[in-house]
Amino acid sequence: MRFTSKDWGRPLTSSVRPYTTIVVETLSTPTKISCDNIKNNRITVAIQSGDLVNISSTYPSIFFALAISALAGCIGMDKWNEGSGLDTGTSPDTFIDTDTDTDTDTDTDTDTDTSVISIGIDSVSPEYGISSGGETVTITGGPFDNSATVTFGNAVGTVVSVSNNSIEVTTPISSIYGLVDVEVTTNSGNGTLPSAFTYWEDAQGGTGAYGEFYWVHYVGGYWNNAVDFGAGWWTVTAPNNQEFWEWGIAPTVDTCVSDYAYNQPLNIYDLDVADTVFRANNRDVTLTDPDGSGVWLKDLTNGDFIQNSSYSLGEVVSPSFPPFSVNQLMQTPTSFSVSQPAITGQTVPEVSRSFSFQWNGSNADKIILLLEHLTYPDYTPIDSVTCALTNDGSFTVPGGIWSSWSAGEVVFMHVGALNEGTGAIEFNNSTARVASSYYLAGAAITR
């Protein structure tokens, strides 16, 4: 029995889109919620003056609840506009002039008013920070003095130092996400720079990006014309608490699940950036967003995936997000071997309904099993099973995971060493969970 590498491939393809897309647009002119913004199944909601979030989804999302609440004011808007003025005048026929003013002016004109100056704000740097506050921001402009206070939206920051044309301030905690005005007030006057600072949700300890950078190596002498292959993809997401293996492979470690892999929804930020670059050992790997979905993809070639190497993310410059880069985005795993089942032999091994894996030599965070159970020789799918495992050298696949089992069927398998990404995304303090995986591809016959 021999197989071709085309008999079974990775379950993730560029056509899989299991996510909601959130498009964040910053407008030059502040705007309010408008009923005209409902069109083409997209909802535009002004969550803060000048900061719009367009929401489109094929999945239920909490963001739609926010949108519906925001648009509730559209109901009866015509009625609101009718007769909005209040007429308190009386009819000319009944108007009576009761003015008895003798025009005796007793004004002494004692004017104690002091002059109020206009304060200019030229720049705020950096222009973003996390909602938990505590970050140092420099404001330029003036004139400033020691009486200066600085407000970010509705919260007052802590002034650290002041000169005539510069203020250093620590940002306050904010209950608002998105753009806020920055206002400087002194005893002599005040000034405001609209939509000058963006608060991002503090995602410390959470995941702010997902992806996988992988390579598949065929083992065993039973393949016809097998060609190793690889691919990479990644995306920036609204923060959540799942690591990549929890999202993409199995919800808990040392378990196997059916029909789970790569099917969990994601809330994706669309950065409106065409290309991004992974970089290792002076080699650049460019991933492209082909359809504007906010997911960057690339089919890898020999040399793109370098084992036991650290990859960084080159600077990403977006029209609606702060520029950012990620050092040590991911660390690719080393080579390893699988001794059971004997997938590296010249003939296809046989496995029972509950069968064991044994491996050694990997430094990976997790071992991943991607198992596809099919009929033979027509390859009708029966089960798709994935397992996320502790890297301790062995694991037994439970027999109850299969919906059925008969002799003479086939199980295609990818046994992978996976390292979880741990790079930091600066603008919201989240972790980029871009995993790197090295898979050994084999097969077995059921008995």
Side-chain angles (χ1 to χ4, degrees), residues 219-367:
V219 296
Y222 42 82
W223 297 101
N224 284 325
N225 304 316
V227 178
D228 293 353
F229 69 97
W233 69 273
W234 81 286
T235 186
V236 179
T237 69
N240 68 62
N241 296 320
Q242 287 186 309
E243 295 188 20
F244 175 84
W245 65 267
E246 292 176 285
W247 170 80
I249 307 298
T252 55
V253 71
D254 293 326
T255 59
C256 297
V257 289
S258 297
D259 300 319
Y260 181 91
Y262 311 102
N263 283 328
Q264 313 314 303
L266 289 177
N267 291 328
I268 289 180
Y269 289 141
D270 186 354
L271 276 62
D272 193 21
V273 173
D275 301 321
T276 57
V277 175
F278 291 174
R279 185 169 291 128
N281 298 354
N282 296 319
R283 185 182 183 94
D284 287 356
V285 181
T286 300
L287 291 81
T288 301
D289 180 1
D291 56 8
S293 66
V295 180
W296 295 277
L297 310 162
K298 187 182 191 311
D299 291 328
L300 303 184
T301 59
N302 288 329
D304 286 342
F305 188 97
I306 307 171
Q307 287 186 289
N308 198 29
S309 296
S310 177
Y311 283 74
S312 63
L313 172 67
E315 186 176 40
V316 179
V317 180
S318 165
S320 53
F321 278 68
F324 67 97
S325 58
V326 179
N327 292 323
Q328 297 180 338
L329 175 70
M330 59 186 173
Q331 176 75 31
T332 53
T334 58
S335 296
F336 69 108
S337 61
V338 175
S339 56
Q340 186 177 334
I343 59 175
T344 60
Q346 292 300 306
T347 59
V348 184
E350 293 185 349
V351 292
S352 59
R353 184 165 187 155
S354 178
F355 62 96
S356 296
F357 282 87
Q358 292 185 0
W359 64 88
N360 61 75
S362 173
N363 65 346
D365 297 329
K366 295 286 186 295
I367 295 297

